[in-house]
Amino acid sequence: MIDLHCHLLPGIDDGAQALEVSFEMARQAVADGISTTACTPHIYPGLFENSGPDIVRRVGELQSALAEADIPLSLTQGADIQMVPELVAGLRAQTMPTLGGSRYFLFEPPHHTVPVGFARLLFDALASGYVPVITHPERLTWLDDAHYPWFVDAARQGAWLQITSGAVTGRFGRRAKYWSERFLDDGVVHILATDAHEPVHRP
């Protein structure tokens, strides 16, 4: 298996806070049958000021550390990119990294606020040759019957939807489980990912 959304890099966002935590998460991934993990720290202006070149460097350093620790997990780069107006420019400049250098990238809507310009930004990314992978829509607090069609329409227009595996199993509560099952029932889910942040509460 390949995990395309994981906060494995140590000390870079709200994920793993130390190398030992990254090691434990990596061991869990290997035990679960994951062979490759995309390290996707947050890029959230004003909160997590990460950039593509630094993420790529850190992925290389962690890959070397995993090899020295004899943990057989392959890594690639990416980022959980918050919805910002300069998104397409950042992708073009590679300050906002795509998944493994492909044209696919993780697109994170705001968690608690209905975004302005959601459809337009998705269209701009698609028109520029990129494929937004919308992360964990089932966990957005503003998701309701009125906004659910936003995501169905996005999927039909070429965006991808990524559901958190723990939401399907009920780890994030009944509400997230309901919406994840509804997306699955409607056939618009493209990826299940861990979105792991640490080994215990967000494994």
Side-chain angles (χ1 to χ4, degrees), residues 54-155:
D54 185 54
I55 291 169
V56 170
R57 178 184 62 81
R58 288 172 180 260
V59 168
E61 292 173 351
L62 181 56
Q63 185 72 83
S64 296
L66 291 178
E68 291 179 7
D70 199 26
I71 302 174
L73 182 67
S74 296
L75 304 180
T76 191
Q77 78 275 2
D80 195 10
I81 305 171
Q82 183 70 200
M83 181 182 163
V84 290
E86 61 272 20
L87 175 63
V88 173
L91 293 169
R92 287 175 173 157
Q94 299 182 0
T95 56
M96 296 180 178
T98 58
L99 290 168
S102 70
R103 58 196 188 96
Y104 296 81
F105 69 96
L106 298 187
F107 175 92
E108 183 179 33
H111 197 77
H112 299 294
T113 306
V114 178
V116 176
F118 177 80
R120 180 67 192 181
L121 194 53
L122 287 175
F123 175 82
D124 288 347
L126 288 163
S128 298
Y130 297 100
V131 180
V133 179
I134 303 171
T135 59
H136 48 70
E138 79 286 355
R139 288 164 40 209
L140 301 175
T141 61
W142 50 270
L143 179 62
D144 55 22
D145 286 327
H147 294 102
Y148 181 80
W150 285 19
F151 299 96
V152 175
D153 290 346

Side-chain angles (χ1 to χ4, degrees), residues 145-167:
D145 286 327
H147 294 102
Y148 181 80
W150 285 19
F151 299 96
V152 175
D153 290 346
R156 289 175 178 163
Q157 291 165 12
W160 283 23
L161 300 189
Q162 175 257 302
I163 301 298
T164 309
S165 54

